[in-house]
Amino acid sequence: MFTPEQMSFVTIASSKTNLERTIDVLHGLKLLHIDDHDPTLGIPLGTPFKQAEKIAELLLDLNFIKSHITLNPATAKDATLSNAERVIKDVKGQLNQLLTELEEVRQKKKAYEKRVQGLDFLHAVGVEDSSVLSSRSIGFIAGTTTNLKAIQQLLKDKECEFFHSWDKKITKVLIVASKSDIDNIRTLLNTHVNAISLDVIETSQAEHDLHQLQERLIGIHQDEEKAKERIIGLGITWNDDLSGSERYLRTSMKKAEAPLRFAVGNHSFLASGWVPTKSMPKLQEALKDVPNLYVQAEHDVHNGPTLMNNPQPVKPFEFFLNLYTLPRIGEIDPTFLVFLSFPIFFGMMLGDIGYGLVLYSVFSVVRWKLPKMKGVCDIILLSSIMTVIFGLVFGEFFGAEEIAGIPLHIWLHRLHEINELITVAVLFGVIHVNLGFVFAFINELRHAGLKKAILAKGSWFVLEIGGVLALAPMLFHTTIAPPEIGIVLSLAAVVGLFLGEGVIGIIEIPGLVSSILSYIRLAAVGLASALLALVVNEMAGGLFASGGVMAGIGVIVLIVGHTINMLLGLLDAFLQSLRLHYVEQFTKFYSGNGKPYNPFGR
Amino acid sequence: MASVEFVALSAALAIGVSAIATAWAEKEIGTAAIGAMAEKTELFSKGLILTVIPETIIIFGLVVALQIIGLGGA
């Protein structure tokens, strides 16, 4: 729990004939985090197995299928290569056919729509018989305009026929003139008419033809829908086979490409990677049946991927570490620290029995309905329990100081005892930051030895003690010890820091004060939340006193107000607690940048 | 000098100016965070945390305002 899992560096060597079998065994084991071979060292990488090409082809086809059909992987069936090949080719053929049919229907629809548009235009401008437009000595301009009067003015003494629709804002216009005149008129009207292209539609009764076409168009829409449904039906019939094939093909692809990660010579191969030390026996056991295979393991404490191993209550908090950066091998895994203090900070900032209970119930349901969010939900469940506990301490139930008439005993009144609240917050800060220093000390002890640890990290403690002693008369109006001792200790600490960490250590000293003061937010956010709840209650109380309709509005105000306060509180408490860990505590001791453990086979 | 008006005004100033500063800082960071998120959705959590870092400013403003009110009340 306190450090990531111990890793061993494993090297596996065998003859090339065993390559495929070894890969199968390793893939099934799901234990080896492969260390990709570097070909610049001399030995080349392996080449993928023969079936890789076919698998890649099938995966491409599958991608094409998936672009038209959504698959549900939950009901995947088991598959084999020949099975998958058959299914995919079959579905691909059917899909292509259905897609062609769909495209035909769509083309037809387009043609019809164009006709409808043309007929609609003619009907709108009042031309029921379009035979005049197809004459060779006639030209026409069709378009829309926003300035009908201007056009009428311009065309007053021109030889042409002018048709227009009766729309108010954007009027459709049709100007018919002899072919010789039409170009002049077009230039004349250039700025006023938005031309649309109108293919000459053969009709002698625009309105009638229009209605007929519109009905036929409805039929074509239905055909299109049916074609689409056939494609969806295809997906439903073959979903299980296709999902199973996909799963099988992807695993096979990984296995077929595995030789690219190993060193493969002419007659033998070398695979290397990391395995958790405690699983070494399992690896040895699985590989013992492969002939001519040699395994060598080295227990390595400094390198290797990170596999966190926390017990069940602590495990959900690994979410925060995954968010930030994973611990390196050999370093302290701060997950359990977050487990201890995150709920406390959250509870202190939200601190209301009612809100805690609501959060607990809501997230219990969310946890049940969305199993994927289990980790985060567990974190919030634990935090909401602490919220209820702090609610009891602060004596707040939805902002009020009583539950259904029974007054709550208040240990610390958030609104009236602000200074005490701030003091508690700063106290938490001191403890939290110093925990950070303790772990920095332990980490430094492991890496660099006792002397460096005392100089670089122990100095912080001395500095704090010295600072408190020196400033006690001024800040707390008490003298614990002569301030001169404090000043001496502080100076000694500064020197120690310089020796241990260089100038950077000195620069970080103001950071210490700022870090500790940053914990005042525990008090401030809590204060804001309590005040908001109080305001909501007073508003609702005022409305209740008026009675009648106002009381109904009062209930709404109460519910909406408290919901907003709860959501704000949830978000803010969550983020600020997290930020306190990441920025104020982790920067004191955490280096992170661990590689995630990614075993072959998962 | 410590009349209610000045106490109230100074407390309001303390928190008002801090609020503007915090809002400005978080606006800049938030814009950059959203821009990064548009290209890589996994950055949402990191972006959110980085955006909230300037909260400290407003919290100190609140503390000062409360101290001013406490001072004025006495």
Side-chain angles (χ1 to χ4, degrees):
Chain A
M1 169 160 90
F2 296 106
T3 52
E5 191 84 47
Q6 302 266 30
M7 290 280 165
S8 299
F9 187 68
V10 172
T11 323
I12 300 175
S14 183
S15 63
K16 207 165 166 184
T17 48
N18 284 328
L19 186 56
E20 193 160 351
R21 184 167 166 192
T22 315
I23 289 179
D24 270 332
V25 172
L26 288 175
H27 188 89
L29 261 186
K30 304 190 208 302
L31 277 180
L32 180 72
H33 172 110
I34 298 182
D35 197 18
D36 290 356
H37 173 66
D38 179 5
T40 60
L41 294 175
I43 312 177
L45 295 171
T47 49
F49 294 133
K50 266 199 286 68
Q51 58 262 39
E53 221 177 279
K54 181 188 268 197
I55 297 178
E57 229 178 75
L58 287 177
L59 278 175
L60 264 174
D61 287 341
L62 196 56
N63 265 344
F64 165 69
I65 295 176
K66 280 180 80 172
S67 65
H68 294 282
I69 301 176
T70 31
L71 291 179
N72 175 8
T75 47
K77 255 189 341 207
D78 285 333
T80 63
L81 185 60
S82 49
N83 198 320
E85 188 176 3
R86 184 176 50 84
V87 165
I88 290 179
K89 294 267 181 255
D90 206 355
V91 175
K92 185 177 163 194
Q94 289 189 33
L95 183 64
N96 271 330
Q97 197 182 3
L98 288 178
L99 282 173
T100 334
E101 286 174 13
L102 182 63
E103 188 58 27
E104 277 171 17
V105 174
R106 285 206 171 126
Q107 295 287 33
K108 217 166 154 197
K109 186 173 89 158
K110 240 193 254 186
Y112 270 77
E113 276 175 348
K114 214 152 183 264
R115 269 184 78 84
V116 165
Q117 193 189 34
L119 281 174
D120 183 60
F121 185 89
L122 286 176
H123 174 63
V125 297
V127 175
E128 289 294 322
D129 188 342
S130 65
S131 48
V132 62
L133 296 176
S134 33
S135 161
R136 281 212 218 124
S137 51
I138 295 285
F140 65 88
I141 303 171
T144 56
T145 178
T146 45
N147 199 346
L148 187 61
K149 294 218 167 52
I151 298 183
Q152 283 172 326
Q153 194 70 15
L154 286 165
L155 291 177
K156 236 194 336 205
D157 33 320
K158 293 273 189 257
E159 263 202 53
C160 63
E161 288 278 346
F162 179 46
F163 303 95
H164 62 88
S165 66
W166 295 103
D167 308 303
K168 282 281 162 59
K169 287 220 180 107
I170 301 180
T171 334
K172 302 191 178 92
V173 291
L174 180 68
I175 299 117
V176 185
S178 62
K179 249 232 160 57
S180 41
D181 290 336
I182 198 70
D183 290 314
N184 294 340
I185 300 184
R186 197 191 307 270
T187 355
L188 194 61
L189 297 178
N190 203 5
T191 49
H192 296 287
V193 177
N194 255 334
I196 60 176
S197 72
L198 187 72
D199 296 338
V200 178
I201 312 283
E202 289 282 327
T203 175
S204 51
Q205 346 150 50
E207 183 173 3
H208 175 250
D209 286 352
L210 183 64
H211 280 306
Q212 257 195 346
L213 264 185
Q214 274 169 339
E215 272 168 36
R216 262 187 246 165
L217 202 56
I218 295 177
I220 294 201
H221 271 296
Q222 285 171 343
D223 288 339
E224 188 186 8
E225 288 306 309
K226 272 192 236 153
K228 282 202 262 193
E229 265 169 44
R230 275 199 289 269
I231 296 181
I232 294 179
L234 184 68
I236 294 179
T237 329
W238 291 99
N239 180 62
D240 298 346
D241 291 288
L242 284 172
S243 302
S245 306
E246 181 174 19
R247 196 174 58 190
Y248 173 79
L249 286 173
R250 287 202 195 280
T251 0
S252 306
M253 194 56 164
K254 286 212 188 91
K255 283 202 266 190
E257 288 186 334
L260 283 168
R261 310 173 74 178
F262 300 154
V264 177
N266 289 327
H267 303 289
S268 56
F269 76 88
L270 198 69
S272 52
W274 301 91
V275 170
T277 310
K278 68 173 192 233
S279 309
M280 270 310 296
K282 210 162 149 204
L283 184 76
Q284 309 264 31
E285 176 71 29
L287 287 175
K288 77 172 189 311
D289 292 325
V290 184
N292 294 330
L293 185 129
Y294 301 99
V295 178
Q296 178 189 309
E298 257 173 68
H299 179 67
D300 191 325
V301 281
H302 292 295
N303 303 310
T306 306
L307 175 64
M308 292 194 276
N309 57 343
N310 288 302
Q312 200 38 48
V314 181
K315 208 167 181 51
F317 290 86
E318 287 178 6
F319 167 75
F320 290 144
L321 270 299
N322 282 322
L323 207 57
Y324 187 54
T325 165
L326 292 175
R328 304 201 67 190
I329 283 241
E331 155 172 70
I332 295 190
D333 181 358
T335 315
F336 78 99
L337 275 180
V338 184
F339 164 74
L340 288 176
S341 41
F342 181 88
I344 294 180
F345 290 170
F346 187 96
M348 186 166 175
M349 283 201 257
L350 202 49
D352 187 301
I353 304 175
Y355 291 168
L357 289 174
V358 171
L359 274 181
Y360 191 85
S361 7
V362 168
F363 277 92
S364 301
V365 173
V366 173
R367 185 178 189 271
W368 175 51
K369 289 277 183 178
L370 294 173
K372 276 204 320 193
M373 306 275 299
K374 201 161 160 305
V376 183
C377 290
D378 281 338
I379 296 174
I380 299 189
L381 285 179
L382 192 55
S383 309
S384 53
I385 297 177
M386 284 313 286
T387 311
V388 174
I389 294 179
F390 271 97
L392 285 167
V393 170
F394 295 142
E396 282 179 36
F397 182 76
F398 285 114
E401 291 167 14
E402 51 177 17
I403 305 181
I406 311 169
L408 291 164
H409 180 82
I410 304 177
W411 302 89
L412 179 66
H413 197 299
R414 272 212 281 202
L415 297 173
H416 296 160
E417 299 178 48
I418 297 180
N419 282 328
E420 280 81 350
L421 191 65
I422 294 184
T423 314
V424 171
V426 172
L427 218 61
F428 273 143
V430 170
I431 298 176
H432 210 231
V433 169
N434 280 307
L435 262 178
F437 283 143
V438 167
F439 287 109
F441 187 85
I442 299 179
N443 271 338
E444 198 74 14
L445 197 64
R446 282 195 202 177
H447 279 202
L450 186 64
K451 178 166 172 235
K452 184 101 194 295
I454 294 184
L455 279 180
K457 306 296 174 186
S459 307
W460 287 108
F461 297 114
V462 178
L463 182 63
E464 283 176 333
I465 299 175
V468 167
L469 286 179
L471 295 172
M474 197 161 45
L475 287 177
F476 309 122
H477 307 292
T478 53
T479 314
I480 309 167
E484 292 79 31
I485 302 185
I487 298 181
V488 167
L489 279 177
S490 309
L491 284 174
V494 171
V495 170
L497 265 179
F498 180 68
L499 289 174
E501 287 190 343
V503 188
I504 296 193
I506 311 283
I507 295 179
E508 282 182 9
I509 293 179
L512 176 64
V513 181
S514 152
S515 296
I516 296 183
L517 284 180
S518 189
Y519 285 81
I520 295 181
R521 75 187 64 228
L522 291 174
V525 175
L527 196 61
S529 175
L531 276 170
L532 199 53
L534 190 68
V535 166
V536 170
N537 284 344
E538 287 191 350
M539 272 206 309
L543 286 171
F544 282 148
S546 319
V549 179
M550 288 293 144
I553 300 184
V555 174
I556 299 178
V557 163
L558 206 61
I559 295 179
V560 171
H562 278 304
T563 312
I564 296 179
N565 195 15
M566 196 163 17
L567 287 173
L568 277 177
L570 172 65
L571 188 69
D572 215 3
F574 193 87
L575 283 174
Q576 297 297 336
S577 305
L578 196 55
R579 168 251 154 80
L580 281 174
H581 284 87
Y582 284 168
V583 179
E584 266 77 30
Q585 193 183 47
F586 282 12
T587 47
K588 303 286 183 288
F589 70 92
Y590 193 56
S591 39
N593 289 319
K595 256 185 320 189
Y597 173 67
N598 186 15
F600 181 57
R602 234 189 285 160
Chain B
M1 194 62 185
S3 48
V4 178
E5 294 93 5
F6 282 113
V7 169
L9 191 61
S10 25
L13 259 179
I15 203 160
V17 178
S18 316
I20 296 179
T22 312
W24 193 350
E26 287 191 7
K27 163 194 156 226
E28 303 280 342
I29 304 178
T31 315
I34 302 261
M37 222 202 316
E39 310 222 355
K40 196 173 173 204
T41 322
E42 302 86 55
L43 290 175
F44 172 69
S45 342
K46 284 205 173 90
L48 188 59
I49 292 171
L50 282 171
T51 309
V52 195
I53 284 197
E55 280 296 295
T56 321
I57 308 173
I58 189 65
I59 288 173
F60 288 169
L62 175 67
V63 171
V64 171
L66 288 171
Q67 296 297 84
I68 289 176
I69 292 178
L71 217 67

